[in-house]
Amino acid sequence: MDIDPTLSKEIAASSGSTADIVARLEALARENAMALGRVDHVTRLPNRVQFVDDFAMQSKSGGNSRLILVTLADARHFNEILRALGHAYSEDFVREGAARLVAMLPDSVQLYHVSVLSFAFFTDGPQFAEPPPIVQEIVDRFREPIRCLDIPINSKVGVGISALDEGASTPSELLRSTLAAAQDSRRSFDGWAWYDKNSDEAHRRAFRILTDLPSALAASDQLSLHYQPRICMKRGACIGAEALIRWAHPDMGNVPPAEFVALAESTALITRVTEFVVRTAAAAVSAWQREHSGIRVSVNISPKNLEEPDFVDLLLWETEAAGVDPALFELEFTEGTLAANPSLMRDQLGRLRDKGFDIAIDDFGSGYSNMSYLSLLPAKYLKIDQSFIRPLESGRKNQLLVRSIIDMAHALDYHVVAEGIESRDIYNMLSGWGCEQGQGYYMSRPLTEANFLTWLASGPVH
Ligand code: C2E
Ligand code: MG
Ligand code: MG
């Protein structure tokens, strides 16, 4: 750290031993750094700004340098400490954690306090996959609780390691990727983790999907619905279609719905995704009635939507605005997720059913739902998961299983829909076992709205 020239004068004016002068010099340097925003006010360790400056020197020294990043707790755990014990105590916790780390490191190693709960330092390590020994020492040492005001608190550290010669081009990027490793380490048995490009890329892709989704929702040309015909097995006639969302991302290409819908479900964005789907599907099914009276649409609804107090109103509003009878509108909920909050789900589904919407349990058999609970849901359709249907030709066991699902569903008053019918033989089998409706590539893949209407005009499946 550079020392302010005014400090040099002060030191020159001070008297005492060399040790006094050095101590005073260091204290003044710290104050100076603090004034320049380079020292963390809680631990008085150099902060991220200082790290960024020092990184240039470190990276020049090259060799087998590693960056080690230690996070004392994950955000949830820290919030619990904050909530239970308050801010002052939480600062003590961070200070104690820092002191423990400083005590473990040789004097020559500088520890940086790079974010509220994270500390980083450079160290040299063996060339290959072995982590520097200090890493295991940290993991072991932090298994002991941190004591503040005599209260023992478990720290839940994460320890990430990055090699300086691998990829990261800037200090901020190096910190970010080592933090990603520290987060990954919470899932590892060892308690530490190397930076993992694949895991990091998956996280970054997920992050990009979530940050780009709002602009996709605002744009008119990125999100659309495709429609997969749903067939009455006996007549081969199309009775409706399942709306399936598609996202043509301008740079990433087509992003699969199973990927981005699942991510959106962890945020409030799912509300807007479902709003888009319901509005688009309502307008489409309304338009279809002119030429194909009675043709229906089904949409996939996230269970998160059912937790929104105004969701039923939204559905009523959108279908009414498009002039669609709710009886033409089916709502699909996946089996596993319906079981998450049984009483709320049952009440909300009951309200929807009362308003005239049909309910389907999607992907039946893919979860581990309690059958007696499912039988209480006010659903009309049970859609057997395609993982049961696609292998039907390959063995008697599968066939027995599907037959018994169909019989059981009928005994519980469900209509059965089979998903994933890919061949004429499977179609015939299911039809013979009394399965009422089906979807699958054998009849048609999901189609754009225009192609669906052309397909519809071509008549029943033979
Ligand atoms: P899902 O609701 O079970 O939809 C059926 C999926 O199986 C669709 O995949 C469809 O293209 C595919 N499929 C249909 N027939 C066949 C077949 O014969 N063989 C094979 N191999 N696949 C077939 P897609 O469109 O990729 O959607 C995947 C999942 O993403 C959907 O599963 C659903 O859970 C979710 N999803 C799609 N659109 C939406 C949406 O608008 N909202 C919500 N919340 N979820 C959606
Ligand atoms: Mg579905
Ligand atoms: Mg399904």
Side-chain angles (χ1 to χ4, degrees), residues 374-447:
L374 281 187
S375 68
L376 295 176
L377 292 175
K380 181 168 175 181
Y381 295 97
L382 197 118
K383 299 185 80 172
I384 305 179
D385 192 62
Q386 33 181 302
S387 58
F388 292 94
I389 307 297
R390 294 214 304 265
L392 263 184
E393 275 167 311
S394 64
R396 253 182 68 75
K397 263 196 186 156
N398 286 326
Q399 296 172 7
L400 272 172
L401 194 61
V402 171
R403 280 184 84 159
S404 35
I405 292 176
I406 294 174
D407 291 345
M408 179 205 62
H410 285 157
L412 292 170
D413 282 338
Y414 291 116
H415 293 252
V416 181
V417 185
E419 297 189 287
I421 302 175
E422 291 187 349
S423 73
R424 177 83 231 177
D425 284 349
I426 292 180
Y427 184 106
N428 289 341
M429 262 184 234
L430 289 161
S431 179
W433 297 335
C435 171
E436 284 93 347
Q437 298 176 8
Q439 283 173 234
Y441 291 175
Y442 168 64
M443 294 86 100
S444 169
R445 286 179 178 257
L447 303 165

Side-chain angles (χ1 to χ4, degrees), residues 13-28:
S14 72
S15 57
S17 67
T18 314
D20 287 345
I21 293 173
V22 169
R24 174 93 184 109
L25 190 67
E26 282 175 355
L28 286 167

Side-chain angles (χ1 to χ4, degrees), residues 18-53:
T18 314
D20 287 345
I21 293 173
V22 169
R24 174 93 184 109
L25 190 67
E26 282 175 355
L28 286 167
R30 262 200 310 276
E31 277 165 36
N32 189 31
M34 185 116 65
L36 291 170
R38 288 164 175 278
V39 167
D40 183 89
H41 76 281
V42 174
T43 56
R44 304 203 155 229
L45 287 168
N47 64 11
R48 192 177 52 82
V49 177
Q50 189 65 51
F51 173 88
V52 168
D53 278 2

Side-chain angles (χ1 to χ4, degrees), residues 97-376:
R100 192 176 276 189
L101 281 171
V102 168
M104 297 182 72
L105 297 175
D107 288 346
S108 57
V109 172
Q110 177 66 62
L111 185 67
Y112 298 86
H113 189 167
V114 290
S115 67
V116 179
L117 293 168
S118 299
F119 300 88
F121 61 93
F122 294 104
T123 186
D124 286 341
Q127 191 136 29
F128 299 106
E130 287 298 302
I134 185 72
V135 166
Q136 194 56 51
E137 289 166 25
I138 292 172
V139 171
D140 293 342
R141 181 76 180 88
F142 276 86
R143 291 213 166 101
E144 288 161 42
I146 292 179
R147 276 188 174 275
C148 301
L149 301 177
D150 244 8
I151 307 173
I153 299 283
N154 289 329
S155 55
K156 294 193 183 169
V157 290
V159 184
I161 319 163
S162 289
L164 257 63
D165 49 6
E166 269 175 18
S169 49
T170 65
S172 305
E173 175 54 17
L174 181 70
L175 272 185
R176 191 202 61 74
S177 55
T178 321
L179 178 69
Q183 287 176 351
D184 284 351
S185 77
R186 295 219 156 81
R187 290 191 302 273
S188 94
F189 180 74
D190 302 312
W192 50 266
W194 284 101
Y195 167 67
D196 173 357
K197 203 157 181 271
N198 291 339
S199 149
D200 191 35
E201 272 170 10
H203 274 92
R204 292 222 277 177
R205 180 175 161 92
F207 182 72
R208 172 127 196 239
I209 285 173
L210 282 178
T211 49
D212 288 359
L213 192 51
S215 50
L217 282 156
S220 57
D221 56 350
Q222 292 191 37
L223 295 178
S224 65
L225 294 187
H226 279 195
Y227 297 92
Q228 185 175 38
R230 185 150 134 192
I231 307 297
C232 161
M233 302 289 280
K234 220 179 240 162
R235 293 182 287 121
C238 176
I239 47 107
E242 175 172 4
L244 295 159
I245 196 165
R246 297 289 178 259
W247 180 4
H249 188 285
D251 306 321
M252 294 162 80
N254 293 330
V255 186
E259 184 178 11
F260 76 85
V261 170
L263 288 169
E265 278 175 347
S266 62
T267 72
L269 285 170
I270 191 62
T271 309
R272 293 174 57 202
V273 169
T274 304
E275 227 171 85
F276 165 83
V277 173
V278 168
R279 184 171 306 149
T280 312
V285 75
S286 166
W288 300 344
Q289 301 309 307
R290 278 181 246 126
E291 301 254 320
H292 308 277
S293 173
I295 198 114
R296 308 168 72 245
V297 75
S298 59
V299 293
N300 293 282
I301 304 289
S302 156
K304 286 271 178 286
N305 297 124
L306 279 187
E307 290 168 15
E308 296 157 8
D310 51 359
F311 178 66
V312 178
D313 295 333
L314 167 92
L315 275 175
L316 285 171
W317 163 257
E318 293 295 350
T319 42
E320 205 175 305
V324 177
D325 178 354
L328 295 174
F329 219 84
E330 183 178 301
L331 308 167
E332 297 189 6
F333 295 90
T334 53
E335 176 212 342
T337 42
L338 276 177
N341 191 347
S343 59
L344 175 77
M345 297 297 163
R346 213 168 59 209
D347 291 353
Q348 287 285 68
L349 294 185
R351 285 183 67 202
L352 290 167
R353 192 71 197 262
D354 291 345
K355 299 288 182 193
F357 294 98
D358 271 337
I359 312 279
I361 298 173
D362 201 0
D363 299 348
F364 177 78
S366 63
Y368 301 93
S369 308
N370 178 335
M371 210 42 234
S372 62
Y373 163 64
L374 281 187
S375 68
L376 295 176

